[in-house]
Amino acid sequence: MKDYSDEFKADAVALYESTPGATYKSIAADQGIKRATLREWVLRDRERRGASATAAKPAAPPREAMPSADPDERVRQLEARVAELEASERKLATERDILRKAAKYFRRDELVISRFQFVDDHRDTYEVKRLCQVLDVNRSSYYKWLAGARARAARQHQDRVPAQEIRQVHGKSGGTYGSPRVTAELREQGRQVNEKRVAQIMRTFSITGIRLRRRVRTTVPNPAAQPVPDLFQRNFTATEPGLKYMGDITYLPLENGEFLYLATVLDCFSRKVVGWSIADHMRTDLVADALRMAAATRGNLAGPVFHSDHGAQYGSRAFAGLCNQLGVSRSMGAVGTSADNAACESFHASLKRETLRGAHDYGDAGTCRRMVFAWLTRYNTRRRHSANGHLSPNEYEHRHHTAKLTLAA
């Protein structure tokens, strides 16, 4: 049977719980189900009832010694009972020893296959049967795993060469690339590789990218600001460089609970960072300096649209005056909706993920500025971007211009 009725499950659980000295294996065999299935039902029922997952069933009634008038017989009975208790104590001590070693052996993210490796590493010290019982694995599965050891070793040997290449690409990225970008880099080098295969090798050899950190909101709206239309409507793409820009502010945590703040301006066509500014404040000058840098990078900003959130800096009169001076049309998303500026949010998340690498802060302000600056410049020149077909922003724009010149010729 693939599906069992609730009544069947309840009866099976009740039978197990009410049978003194019964095991999952014996009850499951009687019911024609798998041991693991019965165990799952029992644990689920105990959880529902609020009982401990390790709650014991009613123990089998202790065997009472037959009364005997012969003192020698009574001594033999007592000796047998002592031997039984000692055997039970040795069993428990062995289980404690196994679990203590297993706690040091396993990492939190280990797969079930590592349990088989633990059994194999300790089979000379303990019985395989006892190891499998304590670790809750099937002996037949362990022996099947053991039989495939030679094939696994051969595969791992074959994977060493691509793993070394992957490790080099990963290292050159500063330890930030995951399997998609590693795959793109290898293909750029002429290797015919599959992303799933790359991901598998990275898992096998513990090569990992950097994961996202939780985002802290820095947008503080200005209630007195003049309304600005949303000219993007969540369309963060462009057909040409220099047509659409987007900007945002993010915090950069320092030691002792202090912060620096980063304002950026990105080109929607290539996601290139054309302007940025870092300061210890979030005044309008921060975003104005970033926009001025963008104008210097592109030569001028006459004609394009600049999109932002409703932060007080972007809604200020001073910033509006700068946009008019540079010839930029302003655009703003809805209040309190991060999705209306999602591309910038994603960019800042990537920056902090790949520079902090799990740390809580950058240290002092000087270190922070250096790290962020290095990342921003490398982002434009070398970091592969998924929106660009895994090309860097500079390379993506270069190929676009080359293609236009070729068509014009």
Side-chain angles (χ1 to χ4, degrees):
M1 293 175 60
K2 293 184 179 180
D3 298 317
Y4 297 90
S5 66
D6 292 339
E7 183 180 1
F8 182 95
K9 296 176 184 178
D11 288 341
V13 170
L15 177 62
Y16 172 78
E17 295 283 22
S18 62
T19 306
T23 63
Y24 288 122
K25 183 177 180 180
S26 63
I27 299 297
D30 290 341
Q31 300 299 319
I33 59 178
K34 293 183 178 179
R35 172 188 175 279
T37 302
L38 175 61
R39 182 175 182 273
E40 180 183 354
W41 293 349
V42 172
L43 295 180
R44 191 179 302 167
D45 181 72
R46 288 177 179 173
E47 182 179 359
R48 180 183 58 80
R49 292 185 288 106
S52 170
T54 57
K57 305 181 303 301
R63 292 183 300 173
E64 297 182 2
M66 295 294 293
S68 174
D70 186 355
D72 292 338
E73 180 62 26
R74 295 183 62 184
V75 168
R76 282 194 294 270
Q77 290 177 351
L78 290 174
E79 289 177 344
R81 181 58 178 161
V82 168
E84 183 180 344
L85 293 173
E86 288 178 345
S88 177
E89 178 61 27
R90 285 194 299 270
K91 178 182 177 181
L92 292 174
T94 299
E95 291 181 358
R96 285 195 300 268
D97 193 26
I98 292 173
L99 291 173
R100 191 179 296 114
K101 291 182 179 180
K104 298 178 181 178
Y105 184 90
F106 294 124
R107 299 197 307 268
R108 286 179 298 175
D109 59 344
E110 285 289 355
L111 301 176
V112 67
I113 193 171
S114 294
R115 293 195 234 172
F116 298 148
Q117 187 65 57
F118 179 85
V119 173
D120 198 54
D121 290 344
H122 296 82
R123 62 183 301 175
D124 293 335
T125 307
Y126 309 102
E127 292 181 349
V128 170
K129 179 181 179 180
R130 174 63 60 201
L131 287 165
C132 290
Q133 286 176 342
V134 174
L135 297 179
D136 196 24
V137 297
N138 260 317
R139 270 191 294 170
S140 59
S141 299
Y142 161 70
Y143 286 118
K144 183 178 179 180
W145 173 87
L146 192 62
R150 182 173 298 180
R152 284 195 307 276
R155 285 196 300 271
Q156 289 180 358
H157 180 73
Q158 293 174 355
D159 289 344
R160 290 188 185 280
V161 173
Q164 184 61 28
E165 296 176 348
I166 290 171
R167 202 179 297 278
Q168 290 176 355
V169 171
H170 185 258
K172 289 180 180 178
S173 74
T176 61
Y177 278 7
S179 58
R181 290 188 174 91
V182 170
T183 303
E185 186 74 29
L186 292 173
R187 288 174 179 171
E188 181 93 352
Q189 297 174 8
R191 291 293 308 277
Q192 299 296 320
V193 292
N194 181 279
E195 183 182 331
K196 291 184 178 180
R197 179 64 173 157
V198 170
Q200 178 185 352
I201 294 175
M202 291 180 70
R203 284 194 300 270
T204 301
F205 289 87
S206 300
I207 306 172
T208 58
I210 305 297
R211 292 184 172 84
L212 283 170
R213 291 168 52 87
R214 292 184 62 184
R215 181 182 63 85
V216 176
R217 185 184 177 197
T218 57
T219 302
V220 180
N222 181 3
Q226 295 295 320
V228 176
D230 184 355
L231 304 179
F232 269 37
Q233 297 296 320
R234 301 187 181 181
N235 180 6
F236 304 108
T237 62
T239 57
E240 292 283 338
L243 295 180
K244 297 166 65 177
Y245 295 99
M246 50 189 171
D248 198 7
I249 301 173
T250 191
Y251 78 105
L252 304 173
L254 305 178
E255 58 190 0
N256 301 324
E258 299 178 348
F259 298 94
L260 289 180
Y261 300 92
L262 168 69
T264 53
V265 178
L266 277 69
D267 191 305
C268 291
F269 174 76
S270 62
R271 300 297 198 271
K272 179 174 181 175
V273 191
V274 294
W276 69 80
S277 178
I278 303 175
D280 59 359
H281 61 80
M282 288 204 305
R283 295 190 293 272
T284 302
D285 289 345
L286 177 69
V287 297
D289 288 343
L291 192 64
R292 291 190 186 99
M293 180 181 175
T297 300
R298 289 305 196 192
N300 67 79
L301 293 181
V305 176
F306 176 78
H307 184 81
S308 69
D309 58 24
H310 276 265
Q313 303 83 356
Y314 294 111
S316 66
R317 291 182 180 179
F319 187 76
L322 177 62
C323 289
N324 291 335
Q325 178 186 339
L326 297 175
V328 176
S329 299
R330 290 194 298 158
S331 170
M332 285 187 177
V335 177
T337 305
S338 61
D340 287 348
N341 205 22
C344 275
E345 300 276 356
S346 176
F347 169 79
H348 287 154
S350 296
L351 182 152
K352 286 192 278 191
R353 177 183 70 231
E354 297 181 9
T355 52
L356 284 172
R357 302 187 184 187
H360 294 291
D361 59 70
Y362 290 95
D364 59 83
T367 301
C368 176
R369 288 177 180 272
R370 288 191 298 271
M371 292 178 66
V372 173
F373 172 79
W375 189 90
L376 289 171
T377 53
R378 190 181 184 281
Y379 170 90
N380 282 339
T381 58
R382 295 188 58 189
R383 187 183 181 278
R384 297 180 180 274
H385 201 297
S386 57
N388 298 340
H390 289 297
L391 296 175
S392 69
N394 281 2
E395 180 64 20
Y396 190 68
E397 290 193 1
H398 173 72
R399 294 193 183 188
H400 175 76
H401 289 310
T402 302
K404 286 186 63 177
L405 291 174
T406 302
L407 290 174

